[in-house]
Amino acid sequence: MRRVQKIEEKFFKLLMILATYFILVILAIIIYSIFEKGLKSISWEMLTQVPKGGYYYGKGGGILNAILGSLSLAFGATLLAFIIGLPVALYLNVFLIRHKRVIGVIRFLLDLVWGIPSIVYGAFGFSLMIFFGFQTSLLAAIFTVTLFILPIMIRSMDEILCTVPIGLQEAAYSLGSNKSEIAFKIFTRQSFSGIITAVLLSFGRGIGDAAAVLFTAGYTDHLPNGLLEPVATLPLSIFFLLSSPVPEVQDRAYASALVLTLIILIVSLFSRGLGKRYHKTKINF
Amino acid sequence: MYLLNREQRHTVNTTWMIISLLLVAFLPFLLFIGLYLKSLLILHDHSLFDLIFSKTWKPSIGKFGFYPFIVGSIWVTVVAMLITAPVCLLTAIYVTQYTKKFFLRIMHPAIDILAGIPSVVYGLWGILVIVPFISRYLGPWLGIKTMGYSILAASFVLSIMIIPFVLNILIEIFRSIPTELKEATLSLGATQWQTIKHVLLRKALPGIIAAFGFGLARAFGETMAVLMVVGNVVRLPQGVFDPGYTLPALIANNYGEMLSIPKYDSALMFAALLLLVVSLFFNLVMHFFIVRYNKY
């Protein structure tokens, strides 16, 4: 009996170790294959030029249009989501703090919205775009991506804001602050690092997602030059380049994937660094 | 210094907050209504039952049967969960119960990176690594002829994509179990594995089910990575080595031509509506599991 137990114990421990290292090894393989393929085909030209004639048959040019397009799309959407999202998160934690049930319902709705696949946002954004008579454009894409990253941003801000101690709020009330002052002056300062992390997290989500912008962004070989013009994005450029039968063009997809992955890795590193740096403004209890 | 006085600023800020809140709170309903209105056209001609269970997909002659896509989606999702579920459960138990704290500090960035990689890059990785692996090694080894672009490839890529998502929830759940419970069992002479098997897993069961449910919902709606490796063939798959087609891939693949064929756009919006309903339903049910879990 004892022996069986020992074997069982060992067996499951082995399985657990295998599972854990499976995840780490897969991550290593993913990173390795992206870097290995990407570094081979990346060049200065790719990063600094827009596609030239015959680009999609292997002639010269680069992906600058997609890089700048993706960045402007993600910046726009993050900004818009921040303008809508921060007040919501603050409202939940300052104004509704005594109404646990209302907070519960809103958090639940946000979780529901978070779970909705990005392609559904894409389809919704598309029908909205048609409804208002828009063309595929940067603006339409920004709206769609905003809807998509909004729940992510609010929920991650909410996680931070709800850790602000009630004592701090009471102290501010006793000094004569009103609710919106407490929200915008005290809560934002106390959770500054968390808010930055939430913003950068949403930025990363926004820049990496293709399904939401598939219908609304369009595609262009030119640099983004206005809110009402179509815009190229990195994920879509990877997708299009990869479906080409020409090997040189496929190599460019690998290079674009490397660029996209690097942007996202840098953003996430950045958010960790900033988070540490701004701990200073926080009052410790 | 300020344009408005304190009271006015308070009013402006509060209004702004309430408008934003209302917008966000109505978002799921807006999505539902918008997509429903768009798919009314197709629901008008075909019954719901007909749309979901009819097998012919020929938009040019007005036949919209979503059955192959629904079956394809279910195949891909279920096989992906079969890979993800045990891996995540074992890993979550290992990092919370067996290892020191510093190991979790290594795991967390790894999970973050996995979660951050965009789905297109996962798809590219699937084409680079998984598809050739299946067509060159796994298929011949099992004596099956396959292109590599298959349900299995999509499931595997998908399972990796949802690992960070499921794992994060599971780790949180196992960490929230009080240590006293474990100590009590251990002091009665149970081994560590017995403790995990009989106490921790039983305690965490609703949470575990919820984590898997959330993962399932996420996998069901994943688009780009699946689209790139699943093969996109409209027919009922017979096994995991067959190519298939999923609902999200259908929407993503046909946006170009959907305005040129009558009712095609309506049909695709109906597919989006289906996805929305499935996702809302799963999240709703799983939410109640989490609520139940928190009660104990």
Side-chain angles (χ1 to χ4, degrees):
Chain A
M1 190 60 200
R2 268 287 145 80
R3 194 127 164 236
V4 174
Q5 277 172 11
K6 254 192 183 149
I7 292 172
E8 193 186 331
E9 183 106 18
K10 285 247 164 71
F11 173 73
F12 277 99
K13 193 165 178 192
L14 186 72
L15 269 189
M16 286 178 208
I17 295 173
L18 280 180
T20 311
Y21 284 98
F22 170 77
I23 295 179
L24 292 175
V25 166
I26 290 281
L27 176 65
I29 293 176
I30 294 175
I31 299 283
Y32 172 78
S33 51
I34 290 167
F35 271 78
E36 195 245 359
K37 278 280 184 183
L39 284 178
K40 257 193 237 158
S41 42
I42 204 163
S43 66
W44 189 242
E45 190 198 355
M46 278 218 51
L47 295 177
T48 54
Q49 289 182 7
V50 297
K52 288 179 183 156
Y55 172 72
Y56 298 100
Y57 305 101
K59 294 230 179 77
I63 50 165
L64 187 66
N65 60 332
I67 296 175
L68 287 183
S70 261
L71 286 177
S72 49
L73 169 61
F75 269 122
T78 313
L79 185 69
L80 202 55
F82 181 73
I83 292 173
I84 305 173
L86 180 67
V88 174
L90 287 173
Y91 196 83
L92 284 185
N93 288 291
V94 180
F95 286 68
L96 295 178
I97 193 84
R98 306 245 172 267
H99 306 272
K100 292 281 176 220
R101 188 158 281 203
V102 183
I103 298 191
V105 170
I106 294 172
R107 283 197 182 134
F108 168 61
L109 281 177
L110 284 170
D111 285 345
L112 277 190
V113 181
W114 192 340
I116 297 172
S118 65
I119 187 84
V120 174
Y121 286 101
F124 179 73
F126 178 75
S127 43
L128 214 61
M129 190 179 84
I130 300 281
F131 183 74
F132 286 112
F134 268 117
Q135 292 291 322
T136 54
S137 60
L138 179 57
L139 191 65
I142 285 179
F143 275 128
T144 314
V145 175
T146 302
L147 293 184
F148 169 61
I149 63 178
L150 201 50
I152 302 173
M153 191 182 274
I154 298 175
R155 276 306 259 142
S156 21
M157 282 180 184
D158 188 34
E159 298 274 300
I160 300 298
L161 288 174
C162 71
T163 63
V164 175
I166 192 95
L168 189 64
Q169 217 179 122
E170 282 161 356
Y173 277 129
S174 73
L175 291 174
S177 310
N178 60 30
K179 284 192 172 175
S180 69
E181 279 169 348
I182 290 176
F184 284 100
K185 291 188 177 157
I186 310 234
F187 269 63
T188 46
R189 222 159 279 182
Q190 178 74 2
S191 344
F192 193 73
S193 62
I195 292 175
I196 297 258
T197 312
V199 168
L200 289 176
L201 180 76
S202 326
F203 183 85
R205 274 298 137 83
I207 204 167
D209 194 78
V213 295
L214 195 58
F215 305 108
T216 45
Y219 199 82
T220 172
D221 281 352
H222 303 291
L223 293 178
N225 61 343
L227 278 175
L228 295 174
E229 299 291 317
V231 66
T233 54
L234 269 176
L236 283 188
S237 107
I238 297 169
F239 182 59
F240 291 144
L241 290 173
L242 204 61
S243 53
S244 152
V246 187
E248 290 89 43
V249 181
Q250 285 185 1
D251 282 347
R252 284 179 181 151
Y254 306 143
S256 314
L258 179 62
V259 172
L260 182 59
T261 314
L262 277 179
I263 291 178
I264 285 171
L265 285 183
I266 289 169
V267 167
S268 83
L269 274 181
F270 213 54
S271 74
R272 273 167 196 279
L274 274 182
K276 284 211 182 87
R277 195 166 155 196
Y278 281 100
H279 263 303
K280 270 188 274 178
T281 55
K282 197 170 163 182
I283 301 164
N284 289 313
F285 281 83
Chain B
M1 187 180 166
Y2 290 111
L3 201 65
L4 305 166
N5 68 33
R6 245 184 105 200
E7 293 305 312
Q8 285 166 325
R9 264 184 283 135
H10 179 66
T11 322
V12 170
N13 282 339
T14 314
T15 331
W16 171 31
M17 284 168 147
I18 291 176
I19 292 174
S20 309
L21 183 70
L22 287 180
L23 178 80
V24 172
F26 283 111
L27 193 57
F29 305 103
L30 275 180
L31 280 169
F32 183 83
I33 293 167
L35 291 175
Y36 178 71
L37 287 179
K38 271 289 186 178
S39 43
L40 265 185
L41 191 64
I42 188 119
L43 284 169
H44 187 71
D45 294 359
H46 308 257
S47 70
L48 188 64
F49 184 85
D50 194 37
L51 282 174
I52 292 179
F53 291 105
S54 143
K55 294 190 181 92
T56 358
W57 177 260
K58 287 214 173 73
S60 49
I61 55 166
K63 295 220 175 214
F64 298 101
F66 284 98
Y67 192 64
F69 306 102
I70 294 170
V71 171
S73 282
I74 293 174
W75 264 101
V76 170
T77 314
V78 169
V79 178
M81 274 320 284
L82 288 181
I83 303 171
T84 304
V87 170
C88 282
L89 193 55
L90 289 167
T91 307
I93 296 174
Y94 185 66
V95 295
T96 52
Q97 308 300 324
Y98 283 90
T99 58
K100 300 238 165 61
K101 266 218 171 104
F102 104 101
F103 193 77
L104 204 57
R105 238 179 275 153
I106 303 176
M107 273 313 270
H108 264 306
I111 298 174
D112 280 354
I113 295 175
L114 269 182
I117 296 175
S119 68
V120 184
V121 176
Y122 274 110
L124 183 124
W125 175 72
I127 293 178
L128 274 179
V129 179
I130 301 302
V131 169
F133 174 76
I134 289 176
S135 70
R136 273 187 223 144
Y137 301 103
L138 197 60
W141 186 62
L142 293 171
I144 298 167
K145 257 195 130 152
T146 169
M147 286 268 296
Y149 291 93
S150 55
I151 302 272
L152 185 64
S155 301
F156 192 78
V157 173
L158 203 51
S159 70
I160 306 297
M161 289 183 72
I162 54 174
I163 278 179
F165 187 70
V166 177
L167 192 54
N168 262 336
I169 306 178
L170 284 180
I171 287 178
E172 278 307 306
I173 283 167
F174 279 111
R175 277 215 297 207
S176 72
I177 293 176
T179 333
E180 291 83 12
L181 205 65
K182 226 169 76 188
E183 281 163 356
T185 324
L186 288 174
S187 71
L188 289 175
T191 64
Q192 191 158 17
W193 172 247
Q194 282 172 330
T195 311
I196 292 168
K197 193 166 71 173
H198 295 297
V199 180
L200 288 190
L201 282 182
R202 188 162 301 175
K203 173 94 174 102
L205 190 64
I208 293 171
I209 293 174
F212 290 166
F214 284 131
L216 207 69
R218 183 121 317 199
F220 197 78
E222 181 46 51
T223 313
M224 297 310 279
V226 175
L227 167 71
M228 287 159 88
V229 294
V230 79
N232 300 331
V233 176
V234 189
R235 67 152 194 245
L236 288 179
Q238 305 299 325
V240 288
F241 287 98
D242 275 1
Y245 216 145
T246 65
L247 273 177
L250 168 76
I251 307 172
N253 241 351
N254 294 297
Y255 73 100
E257 51 203 273
M258 71 181 173
L259 289 178
S260 52
I261 300 169
K263 291 190 198 144
Y264 202 178
D265 60 330
S266 180
L268 292 186
M269 291 303 153
F270 175 71
L273 184 69
L274 269 184
L275 279 178
L276 177 70
V277 170
V278 169
S279 141
L280 289 182
F281 175 75
F282 259 97
N283 280 299
L284 210 83
V285 173
M286 292 313 145
H287 187 80
F288 286 108
F289 271 104
I290 283 275
V291 170
R292 234 190 89 192
Y293 171 74
N294 284 339
K295 250 187 212 155
Y296 285 117

